[in-house]
Amino acid sequence: MAVVKILNVVGDSTKSWDDAIQNAVAEAAKTVNNISGIEVLNQTANVKDGKIVEYKANIQIAFRVDR
């Protein structure tokens, strides 16, 4: 039987929400092995002078635990 853990992370980017998600996964992959999937929970942005200056994505990363 496989055991899967869930890690909650926030990614950010000055380009797009997709880039924020990619950044979160890439950063997590530096220290987490066996990533099997993600779920995007929320997308937000910071606005300055009427323009989006930072995109943020709250995601859950699923990874299999080796025994």
Side-chain angles (χ1 to χ4, degrees), residues 1-42:
M1 180 173 99
V3 175
V4 176
K5 284 191 173 183
I6 303 295
L7 177 65
N8 290 301
V9 297
V10 177
D12 62 354
S13 170
T14 57
K15 296 179 185 177
S16 68
W17 280 295
D18 184 58
D19 197 48
I21 294 165
Q22 294 288 348
N23 290 343
V25 173
E27 193 64 28
K30 291 179 182 177
T31 58
V32 176
N33 296 319
N34 304 319
I35 294 175
S36 58
I38 68 164
E39 180 178 357
V40 178
L41 301 175
N42 192 25

Side-chain angles (χ1 to χ4, degrees), residues 38-61:
I38 68 164
E39 180 178 357
V40 178
L41 301 175
N42 192 25
Q43 295 176 322
T44 59
N46 292 337
V47 176
K48 184 175 182 181
D49 297 326
K51 295 186 181 187
I52 296 175
V53 294
E54 184 178 39
Y55 299 85
K56 295 182 181 183
N58 297 69
I59 68 171
Q60 289 184 330
I61 297 177

